Amino acid sequence: WAALAAAAALAMAAAARGSGRSDGGAAARPRLAVPRGAGRTIALVTAVFSLQALLYFAVTAWLPRLVIDRGESTTTAGALLAWFSLIGLLPTLVTPILARRPRVLAWFGPAIGVSVAAGQVWLLVADPAQYVWVVGLLGVFQSAAFALGISLIVSLSANPPSAGLVSAVAQGVGFAVAGVGSLLIGLLHDATGAWIASFTVMAGVALSLSLAIWAVTRRSPVDLVVRAP
């Protein structure tokens, strides 16, 4: 993993050298501010990203433990986690295309959260023969939720500088919520001695994600660039 991180660092350094400005960076960066009404849009985008990130990290953290507690081997647990990641590759690529179509997004977006909630409940009652199917369902729709969260950052920003600020807020808050939320899901399991409460809470989070997506798709792009009078 350290070698992969080092390779990524080298690639980013090479990309940074190749993106130098011809004016030597003399051009002033635009000043940004949050106008009235834009804060609600940013908050909703942040809520969508935070909720989907919490669900994704909680599943990747606790899915192996759940199936091991039910008598499965560590090999099976690892294979299911790999399946969860692999099956999400195609939805990650397709979802941004669908997100560009408002009529499709109006039903597809909220359906993602509902589907994830159904998957959490199914996982609670699934027998071992169903693990491949329910984990596949979660992998598809939770990867779609991640791709949608990224797409909304772009589509609800009127220009690149605005997208930079929205992205910083949404992802900064979102990954913090994901880390703390995943820990709380584990602590809830320890407090109750079972997974029922933890995955029920995650199903509730998924329904909240559905509502957040429904609300944010009705917002207009925000322009955070302050222009001189």
Side-chain angles (χ1 to χ4, degrees), residues 87-116:
I87 198 171
L89 292 176
L90 182 59
T92 301
L93 297 174
V94 172
T95 298
I97 299 173
L98 297 178
R100 296 173 61 185
R101 307 182 180 210
R103 291 185 179 179
V104 175
L105 185 59
W107 62 265
F108 175 70
I112 290 176
V114 174
S115 299
V116 173

Side-chain angles (χ1 to χ4, degrees), residues 47-192:
V48 170
F49 196 90
S50 299
L51 294 172
Q52 67 80 23
L54 191 164
L55 289 165
Y56 193 93
F57 280 94
V59 169
T60 55
W62 302 118
L63 172 65
R65 174 75 180 274
L66 169 68
V67 298
I68 289 173
D69 286 352
R70 291 182 173 179
E72 299 298 321
S73 67
T74 54
T75 301
T76 299
L80 287 172
L81 187 59
W83 171 236
F84 174 81
S85 300
L86 289 173
I87 198 171
L89 292 176
L90 182 59
T92 301
L93 297 174
V94 172
T95 298
I97 299 173
L98 297 178
R100 296 173 61 185
R101 307 182 180 210
R103 291 185 179 179
V104 175
L105 185 59
W107 62 265
F108 175 70
I112 290 176
V114 174
S115 299
V116 173
Q120 302 290 348
V121 174
W122 185 10
L123 187 58
L124 272 176
V125 300
D127 58 56
Q130 297 173 333
Y131 284 158
V132 171
W133 299 105
V134 63
V135 172
L137 172 72
L138 288 171
V140 166
F141 285 101
Q142 292 197 218
S143 294
F146 170 77
L148 179 59
I150 295 294
S151 298
L152 290 173
I153 291 173
V154 177
S155 64
L156 289 175
S157 301
N159 45 57
S162 299
L165 180 56
V166 174
S167 178
V169 173
Q171 296 196 60
V173 173
F175 286 122
V177 169
V180 174
S182 297
L183 173 62
L184 294 177
I185 292 296
L187 292 176
L188 183 58
H189 165 266
D190 290 347
T192 61

